[in-house]
Amino acid sequence: MTDEHAAWVLPLSALVCWVSCHAAFGLLKQARESAGWAAAIWLAATGAAAGAGIWSTHFIAMLGHESPLAIGYDVRLTLASLGVAMATAFCAACLIRRAAGAVAIVASSIVLTAGIAAMHFTGMAGVRITGRFIWDETLVAAALASAAVLTCAALFVFTRRPTRYPRAVATTFLAGAIGTLHFVSMAAMRALPDPSIAAPEGELARGALAAGIAAVMLTTLAFSALSLFADRLRRANHALAAHGAALRVSEERLARALDAGSDGLWDWDIATGQAWYSDRWLTMLGYAPGELEGLIETWQGLLHPQDGPKAQGLLQAHFDGHSPVYECEHRLRRKDGSWGWVLARGKVVERDGGDLPQRIVGTHIDIEARKLAEQQIAHMARHDGLTGLTNRARFCELLGLALREVADEGGTCAVMCLDLDRFKSVNDTVGHMAGDELLKRVAGRFAGRMHPADTVARMGGDEFAILVRSDPSDEGLRRLAADLISVVGKPFPFGGQAIEVGLSIGIARAPQHGLVETLLFNRADLALYQAKAEGRNCYRMFDAAMDEAITRRRELERDLRTALANGGLELHYQPQVRAGSCELIGFEALARWRHPVRGLIPPGEFIQLAEETGLISALGEWVLRSACSEAARWTRPLKLAVNLSPREFQQSDLPERIFAILAETGLPPSRLEIEITETAIFADMSRALSILMRLKALGISIAMDDFGTGYASLATLQAFPFDKIKIDRSFVGQVETSPQAAVIVRAVLGLGRSLGIGVVAEGVETAGQVRFLVGENCEELQGYLFGKPQPIESFAEVMGGRQACDLAIRAAPVRQPAARLAFAS
């Protein structure tokens, strides 16, 4: 036999189910947001609404169920199914009320699904027919699983709120779970007639069941209306509470602003002269509340005399309608007699029929901190942040004013440029913090010697300047300069040690040396340059010859740049020989500049110029490339020695650049010897060690030049991988006449042997020096005795084979400056 449902069953049961579930979720939301008895009541209402919805959905479907068999309903089991639905819905609601984790959601879903199933099968157990029910267990299991999944999804959406309308989505999922379980379970059921079973009598009739369903539906609608009303009421209460809280916060903020802020309130009755001043208005000036009389004259009596006319004028302008508000910064006298800055703002709020002001209200804002900040900013804009002295910008401004005054009114003034001597070594040895502290102490000593009419400024780094107006005479300037040099020359105690620096000063006067700021300052700077060139720790006055010197220097710099660009330089080579046999073993390459007008310019002059102007890197690269290219063409594999300046040694890519030149010219790295001075090492020891190691790795030899004249120490020789040390000519040249020089040379030779480092003696000029050095086992010699630096063509005859010194040189008198190297085959 076939069991079917009427067409109206599905939409009606779905509607009832959705409305009841929506009401249940609304009531559950109230329960989640309540506590105590209120939460318990809402939970009970949730269980009732959900249970009624589940029960109604089931029995509406049963009323629409069309069967050829007579159907009745057991009253007790039918009512029990309603109780089961409400009870399990209540339990699930209790679990989900505080649910936050996935475990709680799954547990609540299982409880609620079990309740739906229990209601369904309890209700089916109460159905009485003239036959019996047969169940498809597979479909029943599918119904239970589907309902559990949909229930879990409904509770997840309700608690986690992943969508814009979580309540509606959750309701749809739960209604689907209830409908799925019912209709799939009904599909799993078959009713088989059984003649042995009598027709149900005395059971609940379909009409009575319909009336019960109607009552439950009305109850569900009531719960739905209740939940909707409660939700709206809750929202209204929340809005009112938020509005009230915001109002309280606003009132509290206003009260705190009035009590703790910097605003003092005032209210003046212009017609009567009466005034009201808030407690804050009085306390910001140090007065107790009520201590001052409430009159307009009170404010007028507290005004600073210099600010009174401006304040009164601005107030009257507002009274006359010329300004929309009254606003003025002025000072008021505090109770302790000091003056405090305030910003007064006010507005006329009442006028009479003739448009005359009757009442004005306003505020006084304490702006003392702002004024102090403005003063500090103004001070910082004109003063050096480290020393507190006038800065460069302010100094130039004052110098311009002084020169205009000299030009307009006569008189004189002077500029001193000052520079600390040995300041860089202080930074290198004790650190930059000590250097900054030294600058501050030097500035303090300067300031202690200044006349109030004079201005001392820090121009940057260790450079200072002084504008002298008190006594700019020659005698006064010399006296001041000598005094400053003396006071700076005294030791500065720092960290348990004494730091000593010197001071060089250049001086220029106006109008004698110019009336333009830049010209006068540049001439003082030229005088400073001259003082440093003449030994430092002294002062020099500008004279016209200095201008000529700087002009010559600039012309020489221009010519040097031209020579580098157009090939105006040349290389000379000085031979290096083995000491025992005078065998030629290599050459040192030396740059020479033959100026088209000035002739041969000494290396010391143009190399120093290249160092100062930054051309030394380009010059060094030209020397290295040209010398390597020349040496690669020699028929004998002689050693090539090339000097590197300290500036070149500061370039981190130096090894790569040298290797590129060797590859370009074809000279093997083993034939190149790089000579460096100790100055290049001590500029940055860690970088120097890295560069030397990389050069050694390429197969290039390293020699320390001018050993003994700088900062050389045993630690230096131990830390760096030198292949040779070159004894400076100042020692070698005195081995015949100075026992001390002979001892030093002998010690260096012994040191080299002990460390396994070769030693080269420079500046050998006499046969006596040769005999001494050979007797002390010196390995290599270099000097005028074996040949002056010359173009490589001058040594063409000796480049083809092994050569030795003439024995006559060894037998010559001790001093033969004119002796020259003779080569024999």
Side-chain angles (χ1 to χ4, degrees), residues 491-509:
F492 292 85
F494 187 85
Q497 59 181 317
I499 298 175
E500 295 186 10
V501 293
L503 183 67
S504 297
I505 303 176
I507 308 171
R509 296 178 61 202

Side-chain angles (χ1 to χ4, degrees), residues 13 15 64 85 129 142 144 162 165 238 240 278 304 344 346 393 428 437 564 569 587 599 633 669 703 767 792 822:
S13 61
L15 176 62
I129 61 174
L144 292 174
Y165 302 103
H238 282 182
L240 287 174
S278 70
H304 193 285
D428 292 340
E437 181 63 26
L564 274 171
L569 299 173
F587 292 93
R633 296 193 295 268
I792 194 65

Side-chain angles (χ1 to χ4, degrees), residues 213-552:
I213 292 174
V216 172
M217 288 176 62
L218 290 174
T219 304
T220 302
L221 291 174
F223 277 123
S224 179
L226 176 63
S227 69
L228 180 61
F229 175 76
D231 187 56
R232 291 185 179 276
L233 183 61
R234 179 186 58 81
R235 292 182 183 180
N237 288 337
H238 282 182
L240 287 174
H243 181 71
L247 183 60
R248 285 193 300 274
V249 169
S250 178
E251 290 174 347
E252 290 172 0
R253 287 174 179 170
L254 178 59
R256 286 196 297 267
L258 292 176
D259 294 339
S262 60
D263 292 12
L265 306 180
W266 48 268
D267 187 343
W268 297 347
D269 189 327
I270 302 171
T272 65
Q274 295 295 313
W276 170 82
Y277 302 105
S278 70
D279 292 347
R280 177 57 185 159
W281 193 98
L282 295 166
T283 56
M284 75 167 58
L285 297 176
Y287 297 97
E291 186 174 351
L292 296 180
E293 192 173 1
L295 298 171
I296 294 178
E297 288 77 8
T298 299
W299 169 74
Q300 294 171 337
L302 296 176
L303 266 174
H304 193 285
Q306 295 178 358
D307 300 336
K310 179 183 71 171
Q312 295 283 6
L314 291 173
L315 187 61
Q316 189 61 48
H318 177 58
F319 287 167
D320 295 340
H322 300 314
S323 60
V325 293
Y326 162 67
E327 183 171 329
C328 179
E329 294 181 2
H330 58 71
R331 285 163 287 181
L332 293 176
R333 187 178 64 251
R334 298 191 182 99
K335 187 175 181 178
D336 60 7
S338 62
W339 297 96
W341 279 98
V342 298
L343 170 60
R345 288 197 180 107
K347 185 177 180 63
V348 172
V349 295
E350 291 182 13
R351 291 182 180 269
D352 61 12
D355 201 31
L356 295 177
Q358 298 299 304
R359 183 184 173 201
I360 181 172
V361 297
T363 61
H364 276 178
I365 302 174
D366 188 345
I367 59 171
E368 187 71 19
R370 196 193 81 194
K371 284 293 184 180
L372 290 176
E374 289 175 353
Q375 293 172 8
Q376 184 177 7
I377 291 172
H379 182 272
M380 291 172 61
R382 297 184 171 193
H383 293 79
D384 176 58
L386 177 64
T387 63
L389 298 177
T390 300
N391 62 15
R392 176 186 288 271
R394 179 58 177 165
F395 181 83
C396 293
E397 181 183 339
L398 293 175
L399 177 58
L401 292 174
L403 292 178
R404 284 193 290 274
E405 183 178 326
V406 169
D408 296 340
E409 303 176 12
T412 184
C413 67
V415 172
M416 286 183 166
C417 287
L418 305 89
D419 190 84
L420 297 182
D421 301 328
R422 301 184 300 278
F423 178 73
K424 186 178 184 302
S425 66
V426 172
N427 272 338
D428 292 340
T429 54
V430 295
H432 289 282
M433 292 184 65
D436 289 347
E437 181 63 26
L438 175 63
L439 290 175
K440 289 192 282 188
R441 295 186 188 181
V442 168
R445 292 187 182 182
F446 285 159
R449 300 289 173 166
M450 289 296 103
H451 188 278
D454 301 335
T455 302
V456 58
R458 182 183 177 217
M459 308 303 284
D462 61 338
E463 300 175 3
F464 298 83
I466 299 175
L467 173 60
V468 182
R469 306 195 67 180
S470 59
D471 184 9
S473 64
D474 288 352
E475 182 59 31
L477 293 171
R478 291 191 181 97
R479 186 168 53 249
L480 176 60
D483 186 32
L484 293 175
I485 291 172
S486 174
V487 73
V488 171
K490 297 176 181 177
F492 292 85
F494 187 85
Q497 59 181 317
I499 298 175
E500 295 186 10
V501 293
L503 183 67
S504 297
I505 303 176
I507 308 171
R509 296 178 61 202
Q512 294 92 327
H513 302 142
L515 284 171
V516 179
E517 299 98 299
T518 54
L519 178 62
L520 190 67
F521 192 87
N522 287 341
R523 287 182 168 177
D525 198 47
L526 283 177
L528 170 64
Y529 180 83
Q530 187 67 27
K532 284 187 168 294
E534 294 182 9
R536 303 174 183 252
N537 208 40
C538 62
Y539 67 89
R540 291 291 180 266
M541 296 283 292
F542 174 80
D543 60 43
M546 294 179 185
D547 254 345
E548 296 174 2
I550 196 64
T551 300
R552 289 196 303 271

